[in-house]
Amino acid sequence: MSAPSGKKSLSLTVEQIQGDTIMQVASQYWIEQALKEGSTFKPQIVEDLYKNEVVASKFSTRRIMMLEFSRYLENYLWPNYDPKKTSTAHMMSIAIIVNEKIRERVPAWEVFKKKPDHFPEYFQQVLEASLQERDITLKEKSLLLVFLIHCFNSLEVDLIREQIQRLVSLPIWINLLPGRLEEIFQDHPKYKKFFNSIKKNDQKLTDEKRKKVQFEREFLSKLINTYFTILDSIQPSGPVDDTKVRYCERFMELMIDIEAQLPTRRFFNLLMDSAHVIVRSKLSKLRKRDEGKLYGQLLDMLAVYGGFEIDEQTGEALTVHDRIDLHYNRVTKLQKVVFQHFPDLQSFAISNVASVDTRQNLFKHFQPLSNMDLHKILALLNYLPYPEEDQKDVYNTEFMVHLMVSKHERHPSQLEEINDMPLYPTEDIIWDENIVPTEFFSGEGCLALPKLNLQFLTLHDYLLKNFNLFRLESTYEIRQDIEDAVSHMKPWRAEDGHCLFGGWARMAQPIVAFNVVEVAKPLIGENHPAQVRADISLNLSVRPEVKWEWEGLRKHDVAFLVTLRPSVTIGYQYKHKEPFIPQVGLAYVRGCEIEGMLDDAGKVIEEGPEPKPELKGDTRTFRVWLDPNQYQQDMTNTVNGGEDVYETFNVMMRRKPKENNFKAVLETIRDLMNTDCVVPDWLHDLILGYGEPDAAHYDKMPNKIPSLDWNDTFLDLDHLKASFPEHHVTVATDDKEKQIPPFRINFKEEKSESKRKEGVDRPSGPVSLSAEVQPHVTPNRGPYPYNQPRRNSIHFTPTQIEAIRAGMQPGLTMVVGPPGTGKTDVAVQIISNIYHNFPDQRTLIVTHSNQALNQLFEKIMALDIDERHLLRLGHGEEALETEKDFSRYGRVNYVLAQRLELLEEVARLQGSLGVTGDMSYTCETAGYFYLYQVLARWEEFLSKLRATKDKEQNVKVINEIFPFSKFFDNAPQPLFKRRSYAEDLDIAEGCFRHIKKIFTQLEEFRAFELLRSGADRANYLLIKEAKIIAMTCTHAALKRRDLVSVGFKFDNILMEEAAQILEIETFIPLLLQNPEDGNNRLKRWIMIGDHHQLPPVIKNMAFQKFSNMEQSLFTRLVRLGVPTVDLDAQGRARASLASLYNWRYKKLGSLPHVLNRPEFQMANPGFVFDYQLVDVGDFNGIGESEPNPYFYQNLAEAEYVVALFMYMRLIGYPAEKISILTTYNGQKHLIRDVIHQRCGDNPFIGRPHKVTTVDRYQGQQNDYILLSLVRTKTVGHLRDVRRLVVAMSRARLGLYIFARVGLFSNCYELTPTFNRLTSRPLKIHIVPQEGFPPERQVQERPESTPLVIDDMSQMAQFVFDFYNSKVNMLMRQRGFTKPTRLRQPPQNRKAPAE
């Protein structure tokens, strides 16, 4: 099926839905209304629908979509499921609808959770049907396999896990050969014990129960045999039944999914190995046929998992030594058997292992043997049953030889394979549809891609899956870039056969010359060159800005070298709809990495602040690094008679720098695989998805800290008491004046004295929680106003306080922050509290976007954190709304400037003390000055005070003998208040602390006098000085190698927007430091995110749907049941607007200020309602249109939205308070065009703050949002509730939505929101007499009668007339002489009379 046509078949229009036979039957029998009217269940309806609508349409996705959309499963199939009476059609209908739900990524198991009683019987029925020979077609069996695949991928659902465990637990070993079983029991005696006790228990079961248990244990073994029967029926040539191929592919997918999760793999791996699934499949006829390409790729994946380097019993990864031991044991065992029974093979038996364990040697020794001899050897090794006397040729000789070889040959380790793998994709992978599918993937087929589910086998498996997916997702983007650039270049075949370019591309240039200039010798232990460098010359006779872009290629940028051999003649027009490679004659693609551009002398121009040399002419030469692994493979191919690829390149293509970080990320993942990447012990199992979900919660951590200083978290004692409603709060002092922050709190759990039950660790009585509060005084920091600490002013809620408490304690803290709940404030307070409690620890902040990082930084600067301890890495610091530069070099300059300022202060102090000499020359001289002059005077002052008697009487004494009074002449006077001795002593100590801090900082800055280069100084800052280091996850992945090499260290990590970061990009920042003595020093990991909003952006649908690549680590941990702190009070939007999305969260209320602040109490001027859903019909008979695939537009909505924006501007709304959002890129471009045509250049109206997509606007907000939902035929991707939540939660004061109401209100997933929206009128109600700013209260009705707008044309006409009536007044107000006229509004064409 070609992709576009396949895609078209999957859309349902409203008209089709309403006029469809399925919907007519549904409205009669199972929609809510029919059920209320007493409709009863008729089994024949299920039979007829299955036969006529599903089977007759060859299981058309469109028909199944219709059934699923009508809630057939929830309202009819499952409520009426009866295991005793239910037919095959009923059972199949349930399975295909569950498959459809998972294909569409909507929750599939909810209906079974609500009514779980019959699920075990249903599951049993599915298993039995999967093995039936008759009464069920192969297509149906394939669909049941898909259902089973979904079950194996949903082990977090208790209901399903219970059923799956029965199929893969220890008793399935009854299917093994007795000899093999005995071998296992010798290695693992505990299993023998369990196995025997299970056998004993079986004898107590009833016959019926025993039969069921026996069936479950034999199910997978029988399923494998069913698969073998189908596989063997496929012929080597001639036509092949497509359903057989699909069945075999799905079977492979099921096997991979079982093998890829430890709980399902533990006992099954041995069963699969004993059935020799991989060897038999590799020898199958299907593997050799063209139709078996995808099957072969899936089989290769299964082979990797079959031999995965893990000990199934312990779950530990195998070390290199373990693998070698296992391999040697197997070969030695074979040698012993051969030595005992087959004297002819004596030479093999006494050889050393390394000389016989290659594939070639094993074939040489065993291929000549007779069928019977091979059978006997394999039987003695317990791989096959022993042959009977009269049996002959039971097994195929070829199969037995391959089985023997596969069991005993030496396999390269997975790590060796990864290290020998080229990182750049080549033409073989880029255009392979099974590995990198086009964007039209609908979720129906099966692909040779790894899946990211809940669990991983080992850290190596975790990294490997992410490595492959990240590589392929990047490959998809590279394919799009190559196709775009090359098609613009229009390669034609000239008359003499060479390649001629009829066009040009900004991102690609023809190559003038290409030379490999260096092939370095391999490093010890490697077989590929250490590095390969080449020079590429281009003629850049192009526009100056394009030439500047090419010359601006930086070190480590990635480019691609392409060989084109077009067969099309001059003048050929490139056709986008036809296959790409034949049109352009693409032969090869290779990647390379820029080292730099060469100067006239042929040297690489170094990057740095120095000006670049002026180069003459248009020819530019770039020095690049080629991939040594790829070069090795290509050269081996050339030696064997292939073409030398490196003699053929004729195009060089570059990519946008922002999208070009894939190689660095892949190198980072590969580095992690090669280092002993130590994840902290308390996190290891959690990352892999095992163990107790709450194992890393602070309550369970062994190093929990009982007492912590909360600094300025609480505003007062009442705030503190309200924050811990569960605790009994006691204060250490009764003096009201002393009961002020900062507070230190000591939490205690007192278990009540009740008798412990046997076998229960915890007492059965309740636990009483208490908190001891100790107020303490912050030491005086000095007499200047800037010495006063900056304080938090936010009144945190109890839930926010719990999040802060968890973040201060060691362990994993996960905070779910719905829109507007103060996630950033919580993050900043956690950082501040850690900084003050643990001054020696360093905290790393990681976010998804630069914007979020900047918001965090701006808030951190407002708290009591010394700015010399802040550092920001990456390129986003330009956007910080501050004059201070927090980048590495910015901080170096700050430190140098600060050093000079402090030395000036030292000079002033020296002058005030009357000390001669130049003490303020360097940090070193200042240190001596402090030691011998300053500290000595202070100690003398203290000893005089100690000698003073009757201190309260001698209040003046401090003022008289204080040695530094002159230095503090510039502080607010009088310096000493002389009210009490204690107060003045505190002031004196504060003054000395101020002086001491000057010298402490100078001591820290002393290194800058020794380090001369900017890079060294920046590294010193990063490693020693900075306490809070911030970067984006992309920067972390790009720079890991550099950070580790300079010895970067940190103790805590805080991640904002954690649900928007790819799994692997969340993981890499945990390992930005090398382990110390085999331990990772990470103590805290705080993740703040919202998995109910949009996940990371994955451009390719196949990776997003099939591989589940969009699942962030945050979401996976939530699915695993890791405890979260759910923030529960929003302060962004009116409470009425929040009601459109707060149903999605556990309990989301509003903060008091959302009700009290003036802006929330006033109505939106010019509107009757603060939110409205506006029904938009067709305009001139057209609703949504799709000029390009997935590029949806809707002109009626675009014009309507812009007309409403113009209306808002005309009554005085500021443009920067309005944003226009839409759910599709196509509509975004259309709205921008309409704004440009109608009002963009009009000085009275202008443009809104932003016009963008909902996905792009996540994390941002505005007062008024106008939203266009575009679609009129199908709901499209708004059916993903996460997108709906983001769309509804961007507005603070007003939200106006334009959509086809009939379509969206019918969609079950969206009903909680659309029920509220449709309870208000569906035509916009405006009050043109009102103006901005607002004067009317929310609860008041408008004074004038509202105007009800019927449709877009009326609104456009109204705005046109309204503008013309106001334009003269507006001109007078703004001093214009000539009015700016509006274009005529869009007109409705009258439909011709019938």
Side-chain angles (χ1 to χ4, degrees), residues 819-820 1130-1134 1153-1154 1160 1259-1261 1289-1292:
Q1130 68 87 26
R1132 172 187 292 172
R1134 295 183 193 274
H1153 74 245
V1154 173
F1160 294 108
Q1260 300 175 61
Q1261 62 186 43
S1289 58
R1290 299 303 98 202
R1292 292 183 65 242

Side-chain angles (χ1 to χ4, degrees), residues 21 27 85 105 187 206 221 308 365 486 495 968 1120 1257:
T21 48
S27 59
K85 298 178 188 168
R105 299 183 79 75
D187 293 340
T206 61
S221 183
F308 202 85
H365 284 103
V486 169
E495 286 170 8
F968 288 108
L1120 282 165
Y1257 207 63

Side-chain angles (χ1 to χ4, degrees), residues 178-236:
R180 186 83 188 267
L181 194 57
E182 208 44 54
E183 255 179 43
I184 298 292
F185 287 158
Q186 278 173 5
D187 293 340
H188 303 282
K190 64 173 183 178
Y191 285 144
K192 185 167 190 175
K193 206 166 126 193
F194 292 141
F195 198 75
N196 291 337
S197 78
I198 290 167
K199 272 187 173 174
K200 268 187 197 168
N201 290 341
D202 286 355
Q203 289 163 4
K204 298 173 191 169
L205 299 175
T206 61
D207 285 352
E208 191 181 337
K209 187 80 177 140
R210 193 178 307 129
K211 197 174 162 190
K212 181 177 182 294
V213 166
Q214 194 68 12
F215 172 78
E216 287 168 346
R217 291 170 188 172
E218 292 175 355
F219 171 72
L220 285 170
S221 183
K222 287 181 175 171
L223 189 67
I224 290 172
N225 291 332
T226 306
Y227 155 73
F228 283 151
T229 310
I230 292 163
L231 185 66
D232 294 343
S233 69
I234 295 173
Q235 297 307 311

Side-chain angles (χ1 to χ4, degrees), residues 1315-1363:
N1315 286 348
R1316 292 194 80 93
L1317 289 170
T1318 50
S1319 64
R1320 293 188 173 182
L1322 300 177
K1323 291 181 178 175
I1324 192 102
H1325 288 45
I1326 59 173
V1327 189
Q1329 295 80 1
E1330 293 184 344
F1332 192 90
E1335 292 169 4
R1336 171 168 56 91
Q1337 295 276 326
V1338 171
Q1339 59 278 12
E1340 292 173 12
R1341 303 287 303 157
E1343 289 176 11
S1344 45
T1345 310
L1347 175 63
V1348 180
I1349 302 288
D1350 287 333
D1351 59 11
M1352 182 274 286
S1353 309
Q1354 185 188 346
M1355 185 73 200
Q1357 189 62 50
F1358 167 78
V1359 168
F1360 180 75
D1361 299 338
F1362 190 54
Y1363 174 84

Side-chain angles (χ1 to χ4, degrees), residues 287-413:
R287 177 108 196 269
K288 300 179 179 78
R289 295 184 63 124
D290 291 345
E291 295 88 344
K293 185 179 178 188
L294 171 58
Y295 170 77
Q297 289 167 336
L298 287 161
L299 178 57
D300 292 342
M301 280 178 70
L302 181 61
V304 168
Y305 276 109
F308 202 85
E309 297 162 9
I310 181 174
D311 181 334
E312 271 82 23
Q313 275 55 54
T314 61
E316 297 292 323
L318 297 178
T319 63
V320 178
H321 299 299
D322 296 338
R323 282 184 39 252
I324 293 172
D325 286 349
L326 285 169
H327 169 64
Y328 272 57
N329 291 346
R330 273 198 297 268
V331 179
T332 314
K333 188 178 164 195
L334 171 64
Q335 287 179 315
K336 283 178 183 170
V337 166
V338 167
F339 187 79
Q340 252 177 315
H341 301 276
F342 297 91
D344 298 351
L345 287 171
Q346 193 84 26
S347 65
F348 173 82
I350 59 174
S351 300
N352 70 345
V353 171
S355 65
V356 292
D357 66 355
T358 61
R359 196 172 178 80
Q360 205 175 353
N361 275 329
L362 288 164
F363 269 119
K364 188 178 82 182
H365 284 103
F366 290 99
Q367 217 154 10
L369 295 187
S370 69
N371 184 293
M372 189 50 119
D373 285 350
L374 279 169
H375 192 158
K376 280 180 180 168
I377 295 175
L378 288 165
L380 289 164
L381 292 167
N382 294 315
Y383 290 134
L384 294 176
Y386 206 81
E388 304 283 327
E389 286 300 317
D390 54 344
Q391 277 186 322
K392 273 193 175 175
D393 297 356
V394 183
Y395 295 97
N396 177 322
T397 307
E398 185 192 16
F399 159 71
M400 288 195 288
V401 172
H402 276 88
L403 177 58
M404 181 79 77
V405 172
S406 74
K407 294 290 182 204
H408 301 100
E409 69 176 316
R410 180 174 63 231
H411 296 279
S413 79

Side-chain angles (χ1 to χ4, degrees), residues 24 126 261 317 349 360 477 479 510 552 641 720 901 952 967 1161 1170 1181 1235 1367:
Q24 288 162 6
V126 169
Q261 299 185 86
Q360 205 175 353
E477 293 173 23
R479 170 164 80 194
L720 185 150
E901 270 181 40
E952 286 307 322
F967 177 69
Q1161 292 182 336
D1170 50 12
I1235 287 174
V1367 69

